[in-house]
Amino acid sequence: MARALYIHWPFCIRKCPYCDFNSHVRQDVDQARWAASMLADLRHEADIAGGEPLESVFFGGGTPSLMPPETVAALLAEAERLWGFAPGIEITLEANPSSVEAANFAALAQAGVNRVSLGIQSLREESLQFLGRLHNVGEALDAVETAQTNFDRVSIDLIYARPGQTEDAWHEELSQALALGTDHMSLYQLTIEPNTRFATDVRLGAFDPLADDPAADLFALTRALTAEAGLPAYEISNHARIGQESRHNLAYWRYRDYFGIGPGAHGRRGGTATLRHKKPENWLAAVENGGDGIKEARDLGLREQASEALLMGLRLAEGLDLGELSGRFSIAQRDLIAPEKLRLYSDLGLVRQDGSRITVTDSGMPLLDGLLAELVPEALVSA
Ligand code: SF4
């Protein structure tokens, strides 16, 4: 059963132009009502699937650093009462680096948070403005320092492959970020998601996204610089010192079960996919009227689970073990990934096969989406 718990806080002060997460801007949030409903949604999940102690909790969003620390504390106390916490549990909270939020870090640490993931996004003023961020570089640097004082583990997020970004510029910026000394970094290429303001901007010709070739060069540079600094990629966009990987996110990528509560949260428990109501008001009404925020709970067939496990596992540097997946989902290895496809992409140097362990190589990683479409059989995906 799941040992990872995800809690979604859906509110942000302003919508960033590249963001397609389930985040919403609201003038007033009735904090007491929200805290009570989050606790109710949590209890509902534990009623269905209590059991083994949790190994990780992750507060994501939206901007969970806007949650009152007392709500974070109440949720953690209740989760510990309901499930128990395994020794050394990882408790992460995503935070934006404004000075207002950094002022809450001590209280969040007091509440039990021991790892923070900071949405720095850039160390260049003009890029922060382009990305529509509310903080400046000085605040970002101060927030990293405050986080390092208050939390055992700190991760920072940066967005690269921005329009016009050169290798030299990214080399300098990433080196500066690495010098901050965090043990974990999430480094995402800017992608233009449908239904975002950036998608409209690109359509109207306001800017051109970086082309594929220079973006691939920046990807290669990112891997080289982080590896040199002792934070190799352990997932396509995530880099860590050995032992400092996000245990919570590894549960997703290794296709372990997880509970998800709060608006729009997904969960996987015992072969059932759960989805909460996405719009905050709908989720709130569902919890207040029915005791939980679940919109849909759907049993997944073994083939669908296997395809999800393949799509997740191939993102990881450690790859996946086809033999283990075959046993887990009672599907022959050759039906998980066709041997001729494996041979073809191994010969091209994009995939490595070591016994039944399959990994995507450094050359294959920039092509991961296309490669996944090639490797994971249609029959599994559409199961
Ligand atoms: S702060 Fe994060 S979740 Fe909120 S709009 Fe910006 S990118 Fe999206």
Side-chain angles (χ1 to χ4, degrees), residues 47-294:
D47 281 350
I48 297 176
E52 293 177 81
L54 297 171
E55 290 185 328
S56 66
V57 180
F58 193 105
F59 290 88
T63 309
S65 49
L66 295 174
M67 289 172 86
E70 50 276 21
T71 302
V72 174
L75 284 163
L76 288 175
E78 191 64 355
E80 185 170 17
R81 187 184 73 76
L82 293 166
W83 280 279
F85 283 174
I89 184 171
E90 173 187 282
I91 301 177
T92 304
L93 182 133
E94 288 180 336
N96 277 337
S98 77
S99 47
V100 177
E101 286 153 271
N104 271 341
F105 286 176
L108 289 167
Q110 187 69 33
V113 174
N114 55 27
R115 181 174 182 275
V116 78
S117 173
L118 280 175
I120 301 290
Q121 313 313 2
S122 172
L123 292 174
R124 297 289 173 268
E125 295 300 355
E126 65 282 5
S127 298
L128 288 175
Q129 278 170 24
F130 169 71
L131 293 168
R133 304 295 294 179
L134 290 165
H135 62 274
N136 59 33
V137 174
E139 282 180 304
L141 297 175
D142 286 349
V144 173
E145 204 180 315
T146 310
Q148 286 170 323
T149 309
N150 284 287
F151 302 104
D152 297 342
R153 298 167 68 198
V154 177
S155 175
I156 59 176
D157 285 14
L158 295 176
I159 296 176
Y160 71 101
R162 307 187 297 256
Q165 193 174 30
T166 63
E167 280 194 60
D168 283 351
W170 178 228
H171 190 297
E172 195 184 349
E173 187 178 354
L174 180 55
S175 301
Q176 200 183 332
L178 285 162
L180 295 172
T182 62
D183 288 330
H184 190 284
M185 279 189 176
S186 301
L187 303 170
Y188 301 105
Q189 296 200 30
L190 179 64
T191 48
I192 307 300
E193 303 294 344
N195 304 317
T196 59
R197 207 201 76 208
F198 270 180
T200 311
D201 289 351
V202 169
R203 208 168 45 244
L204 296 175
F207 69 87
D208 290 325
L210 198 65
D212 287 351
D213 283 353
D217 291 343
L218 296 185
F219 180 81
L221 176 64
T222 302
R223 288 172 86 84
L225 280 184
T226 50
E228 202 177 294
L231 278 73
Y234 68 99
E235 191 262 354
I236 185 166
S237 305
N238 283 276
H239 305 255
R241 218 167 276 293
I242 303 301
Q244 295 299 319
E245 300 85 0
S246 161
R247 296 203 294 274
H248 184 86
N249 288 338
L250 279 174
Y252 301 152
W253 295 319
R254 289 176 176 160
Y255 204 58
R256 302 292 161 207
D257 278 1
Y258 58 96
F259 306 116
I261 69 147
H266 291 265
R268 291 285 180 279
R269 48 167 151 76
T272 299
T274 60
L275 174 63
R276 258 60 185 177
H277 288 278
K278 200 167 171 192
K279 196 173 167 206
E281 291 72 19
N282 295 353
W283 174 87
L284 198 62
V287 177
E288 290 182 341
N289 298 328
D292 67 80
I294 295 178

Side-chain angles (χ1 to χ4, degrees), residues 12 14-16 18-19 21 23 61-63 96 133:
C12 290
R14 187 165 81 188
K15 186 83 178 173
C16 301
Y18 56 87
C19 175
F21 300 146
S23 59
T63 309
N96 277 337
R133 304 295 294 179

